[in-house]
Amino acid sequence: MPQNAQQPSFAECIRDTDGSAVHLEMRDDYGDNERFAAWRRGDRIDWDDRSSWWRGFHDQIAEAVARGVSVRRVRIVSEPVSEYIRWEHYMTRANLAAGEQVRWVPRRLASDLVLPCNDYWLFDDRLARVHHFAGDGSLVTDEFTSEPDILKLFAASFETAWARSIPHEEYQV
């Protein structure tokens, strides 16, 4: 993507996806946020009150899945898992409700995998949204690429991790 080009939003990327969107996450902490802080205080979600936890992101995923898009996420995690990952595992119920497929790979099972250094979304193997994080887990910026060699690396690394992964329903934290 040219340096000065307007970067598409996630909503635009997923709306323009026809077949598959995959997300590889490899951090044990993504920084603090209010929902995580509330969970740490002991607040739990009333899963029967969808309006309390459903977000615009879930609408975007559900709409893509309804169009036939396969949306998959793999999380590579250290064990024992961090507090943040325990919270993510708890919150994954919302991703699943939207139609996303989520799996987990304990880092001890990933030593022989060739993975990029950054988390990313890959849309239809044609556009990647690469996340750059600070050391504290906060997002610094997203970079977009349609470079064929990078897209091939991302697609291959995701599929290899997916094949090694444990479905969310079976992964205990």
Side-chain angles (χ1 to χ4, degrees):
M1 178 162 281
Q3 255 334 0
N4 296 329
Q6 175 71 25
Q7 293 185 337
S9 67
F10 177 82
E12 292 168 321
C13 291
I14 197 73
R15 184 191 64 227
D16 294 341
T17 300
D18 297 319
S20 79
V22 300
H23 190 191
L24 182 66
E25 295 179 328
M26 297 177 285
R27 298 182 57 91
D28 290 317
D29 192 309
Y30 289 88
D32 209 358
N33 64 65
E34 180 48 41
R35 293 181 303 146
F36 178 43
W39 181 84
R40 283 196 326 260
R41 289 190 304 269
D43 296 347
R44 295 301 178 259
I45 291 175
D46 176 359
W47 291 107
D48 292 328
D49 179 13
R50 180 175 158 167
S51 66
S52 71
W53 55 266
W54 191 267
R55 307 235 181 289
F57 170 81
H58 301 115
D59 284 328
Q60 295 161 8
I61 296 299
E63 289 166 7
V65 170
R67 289 193 324 271
V69 175
S70 169
V71 181
R72 298 180 293 157
R73 179 186 308 249
V74 170
R75 292 178 172 140
I76 298 176
V77 296
S78 301
E79 291 180 322
V81 299
S82 67
E83 185 177 34
Y84 192 95
I85 294 300
R86 280 196 312 276
W87 172 70
E88 273 196 333
H89 190 273
Y90 171 76
M91 293 297 297
T92 296
R93 182 171 174 178
N95 299 73
L96 300 175
E100 193 175 334
Q101 300 172 62
V102 180
R103 292 187 178 183
W104 304 81
V105 179
R107 206 170 298 282
R108 65 183 161 73
L109 300 178
S111 295
D112 63 337
L113 299 181
V114 177
L115 301 168
C117 295
N118 297 301
D119 292 9
Y120 60 87
W121 275 94
L122 180 60
F123 303 97
D124 285 335
D125 294 344
R126 63 168 172 72
L127 178 66
R129 181 179 185 173
V130 183
H131 304 300
H132 296 282
F133 293 97
D136 67 359
S138 62
L139 181 65
V140 174
T141 191
D142 285 330
E143 170 189 2
F144 289 82
T145 183
S146 55
E147 167 57 43
D149 290 341
I150 294 173
L151 298 178
K152 286 179 192 170
L153 169 68
F154 286 179
S157 66
F158 182 87
E159 293 304 331
T160 303
W162 184 260
R164 183 77 50 94
S165 63
I166 301 165
H168 175 75
E169 299 78 13
E170 297 173 23
Y171 185 69
Q172 302 299 312
V173 295

